[in-house]
Amino acid sequence: ATPRSSARQLVREALERYGLNPDDFGQFALCDVVGRPGGGGTAGGAWQGEHLREVGDWERPLVLQELWKPKAGWSRRFEIRRRQDLEKAGDGDDGDTAGERGQPPKVAPRGWRRGWQRSGGG
């Protein structure tokens, strides 16, 4: 992967690497997840994702990673999720993206991206 790799390209590569059909990339989305260690920040606590945003197919995740750093005590990781699961999680969403402890993070509504500068280059 390079800074010029799109989210779509990264999903295809990951599917291929894990022995899945890379032509099924349309069923999956790359998600930008921000969270922190569970258990009150102790070293042994499991990582807890609290904010999730679907990355646009043509956005460049490595550029996002470089330009937007999480605040102290938080970290970011990219996860591949099934689009149908994201759609289910987004149903009835009130726009609050913070997940409750022990619950999966809520998915940001598609309009949430408006406030973000696009990372697609160009």
Side-chain angles (χ1 to χ4, degrees), residues 2-122:
T2 70
R4 297 199 49 82
S5 298
S6 69
R8 178 182 284 205
Q9 290 169 319
L10 295 177
V11 169
R12 285 182 66 101
E13 288 177 23
L15 292 175
E16 190 172 1
R17 182 173 295 146
Y18 290 105
L20 300 171
N21 184 353
D23 293 332
D24 290 340
F25 70 89
Q27 297 176 27
F28 298 89
L30 188 68
C31 296
D32 182 6
V33 185
V34 176
R36 54 185 159 183
T42 61
W47 193 83
Q48 176 71 42
E50 295 193 21
H51 305 278
L52 179 145
R53 180 183 77 89
E54 181 179 341
V55 177
D57 285 343
W58 300 109
E59 288 186 79
R60 291 174 169 48
L62 298 179
V63 172
L64 284 173
Q65 187 176 29
E66 182 62 30
L67 295 176
W68 289 286
K69 305 283 186 193
K71 291 183 179 184
W74 294 80
S75 63
R76 158 189 280 135
R77 69 182 184 189
F78 290 101
E79 298 178 355
I80 296 175
R81 305 261 180 120
R82 289 189 178 275
R83 289 187 192 273
Q84 68 184 28
D85 295 341
L86 293 173
E87 291 167 6
K88 286 179 192 172
D91 288 346
D93 192 355
D94 61 2
D96 179 11
T97 60
E100 296 180 25
R101 293 280 177 212
Q103 299 295 318
K106 291 183 180 179
V107 177
R110 291 193 186 271
W112 186 74
R113 249 185 266 179
R114 275 186 299 225
W116 281 58
Q117 183 179 16
R118 303 293 278 179
S119 64

